[in-house]
Amino acid sequence: MKRALVVAVTCLAGALAAAQAPAPAAAPATVGARTWIGRQAQIEESLLNAPIERSADLPVGVTKSSRVFFAPGGLVASATAKHLPMGRRDGFWEAHQSEIAAYQLDRLLGLDMVPPTVERRVGADLASVQLWVEGCKVIKEVDQSACPKPTEWAKQVCRQRAFDNLIANIDRNAGNILVDAEWGMVLIDHSRAFASDRMPFEREMTRIDRAFFEKLKALDEASVMKQVRPWLLDDGAARAILKRRDKIVKQFEKAARKKGEAAVFPF
């Protein structure tokens, strides 16, 4: 499951040395394929209400998703639709609502890696509908040793690990991390998240950028219950997010005391 992610460690190690050197002037932030940044509300509205003209089954994945195409001229051209009512399938607890919960938590944290995702009716079924992201490759098709922005890439890898631990995403693999032409990371396929307390990248979670760490610390129960809880099974699943958050924060703080702030917060 983690084969391509392990490759990222090489890129991460090189970036850490670069992160210790004086940083050059920051370049303007680039959006790349993450065209939703700064206009999430408008895209959510379009995903919810734009007329669907046609759909086509996707040939990959086990959740039998489809790609839906909207009427031309709108803000959104197409999206991934997934109908998975909460339940156990092939030994896994799955729900398309978890896709929406992951997006809402991404928004709370300002992560900007999960594409806008809403719930709407597609045909006769309620489904998660997630913006289709153009211009990306799956991470297994990317030569990570050629990272042109190693420090920025390493920061994204560290954020991905912390986020997947936060949502207990047991199904992260090389087919559901996308990389755009600007080396921006996009995270998709979260239907098996939030169903356990297992943090799949607990051992790999050794470094984080200070800005994201502070956002994790600031995550509060009121916000989680308002924005994420409606898409989860029960209150316990929502509060479990905060319990995992507390564990993540303690792990980073303990490591900082042992190794030093610069080693744990190098970005």
Side-chain angles (χ1 to χ4, degrees), residues 104-205:
Q104 290 295 334
L105 193 53
D106 171 289
R107 287 211 67 183
L108 280 175
L109 295 169
L111 186 64
D112 292 329
M113 287 185 180
V114 181
T117 313
V118 302
E119 186 180 56
R120 67 173 286 180
R121 199 164 292 280
V122 178
D125 300 319
L126 277 176
S128 62
V129 176
Q130 182 175 88
L131 177 69
W132 184 273
V133 185
E134 301 283 0
C136 290
K137 295 180 179 180
V138 292
I139 198 171
K140 61 185 176 182
E141 297 175 351
V142 174
D143 179 8
Q144 295 179 59
S145 66
C147 306
K149 304 173 182 178
T151 301
E152 181 59 31
W153 177 249
K155 182 167 73 173
Q156 292 181 92
V157 171
C158 291
R159 286 185 171 197
Q160 169 261 312
R161 292 169 178 170
F163 183 70
D164 279 331
N165 285 336
L166 184 67
I167 67 175
N169 183 18
I170 62 171
D171 194 35
R172 180 66 68 211
N173 59 67
N176 54 37
I177 294 181
L178 309 181
V179 184
D180 68 17
E182 299 290 336
W183 284 81
M185 184 181 287
V186 178
L187 305 178
I188 60 172
D189 197 0
H190 301 103
S191 61
R192 291 179 179 174
F194 303 102
S196 76
D197 282 328
R198 184 162 71 85
M199 301 200 301
F201 295 96
E202 188 169 359
R203 291 185 178 181
E204 296 88 343
M205 191 178 61

Side-chain angles (χ1 to χ4, degrees), residues 92-104:
F92 295 98
W93 177 269
E94 293 184 298
H96 68 250
Q97 292 90 341
S98 296
E99 302 280 2
I100 307 162
Y103 168 62
Q104 290 295 334

Side-chain angles (χ1 to χ4, degrees), residues 40-55:
Q40 286 92 336
Q42 299 95 311
I43 290 178
E44 288 175 29
E45 178 68 20
S46 187
L47 289 171
L48 279 168
N49 298 308
I52 296 174
E53 288 204 328
R54 61 186 178 89
S55 66

Side-chain angles (χ1 to χ4, degrees), residues 238-253:
R239 294 194 175 101
I241 296 170
L242 295 168
K243 291 180 181 178
R244 289 190 295 272
R245 185 279 310 274
D246 291 344
K247 189 174 181 179
I248 290 167
V249 168
K250 288 179 181 178
Q251 180 168 318
F252 281 127
E253 290 179 338

